Amino acid sequence: MAKHVCPWWLGYLLACPIRRWFQNPEKILSPYISEGMTVLEIGPGMGFFTIPAARMVGAGGKVIVVDVQEKMLKALVKRAKKAGVTDRIAAKLIEPDSIGVSEPIDLCLLFYVVHEVPDPASLFSQIKAILKPGGKVLIVEPVGWHVIEKGFQENLAKASDAGFESDWKTPNTKESVRASCIKIKRPSS
């Protein structure tokens, strides 16, 4: 089982419109998402990033969301319906040890979730297996007692062990999040 899973009811706070003031989904996602892409979001909560991502992939794209909590997914689907993007979102209830997706993806979003996964090394291996060439993984974790710098670095090391390399990461600052974008390592020549 996961170390700690965010309670489903906290999803309402995470989807609060006020959050957009300091984490604008379109601004954060626009460098990574384009029309026609297939995006996987693991642990999407109630869709704070999912719904903007669904708009960005357009009618020819898709956002696959997987979560271990059925109530989160139901709330996300309800919000997506209201936003008119349900046709672009595929929601799937999964077990804690599997991402439950075999379809190739262009981008994987891991917002505030790696610290909740029981086996991050397995998570990164599963993502690598479905990531298209040139695909990326965006990892964002909260700063502070929730995810300390050491834990964040340990998870990046597990990603490296799974065959990823850093594309960039935030400097060690007083920001409210730590982030890194990773991609599959290039073969050594």
Side-chain angles (χ1 to χ4, degrees):
M1 195 62 179
K3 301 171 202 167
H4 165 78
V5 176
C6 178
W8 70 269
W9 50 265
L10 197 55
Y12 291 107
L13 179 62
L14 296 173
C16 177
I18 294 171
R19 183 177 177 192
R20 296 178 65 80
W21 290 348
F22 55 95
Q23 288 184 338
N24 182 304
E26 291 83 3
K27 185 176 178 182
I28 292 168
L29 298 175
S30 64
Y32 308 101
I33 298 179
S34 56
E35 286 197 31
M37 290 179 79
T38 298
V39 176
L40 170 62
E41 185 176 9
I42 299 173
M46 294 184 179
F48 184 76
F49 288 98
T50 310
I51 293 168
R55 289 185 184 115
M56 296 169 86
V57 299
K62 177 172 29 174
V63 179
I64 303 166
V65 294
V66 296
D67 204 308
V68 296
Q69 297 184 79
E70 188 173 16
K71 287 183 179 182
M72 286 282 202
L73 290 174
K74 284 183 177 181
L76 184 153
V77 169
K78 183 177 177 182
R79 292 182 71 241
K81 185 175 182 178
K82 187 176 177 181
V85 294
T86 51
D87 59 325
R88 301 175 191 178
I89 297 173
K92 185 173 183 179
L93 185 65
I94 59 166
E95 295 298 319
D97 61 347
S98 173
I99 63 173
V101 175
S102 58
E103 180 177 346
I105 61 169
D106 299 291
L107 176 68
C108 182
L109 303 176
L110 299 170
F111 283 96
Y112 292 27
V113 74
V114 176
H115 68 277
E116 293 186 359
V117 174
D119 186 354
S122 175
L123 171 72
F124 291 120
S125 292
Q126 291 177 60
I127 293 167
K128 184 181 176 207
I130 62 171
L131 195 63
K132 292 178 185 176
K136 295 187 178 185
V137 180
L138 184 59
I139 305 167
V140 180
E141 293 280 42
V143 170
W145 63 269
H146 211 61
V147 179
I148 60 171
E149 179 67 19
K150 181 181 175 192
F152 185 72
Q153 294 304 324
E154 287 171 354
N155 284 333
L156 289 181
K158 290 173 185 174
S160 178
D161 291 345
F164 287 97
E165 64 185 1
S166 183
D167 199 25
W168 64 262
K169 74 176 192 172
T170 55
N172 189 7
T173 65
K174 301 263 186 213
E175 295 294 321
S176 62
V177 298
R178 289 187 181 87
S180 182
C181 182
I182 59 176
K183 59 186 178 184
I184 296 174
K185 289 180 184 174
R186 293 185 190 144
S188 309
S189 35

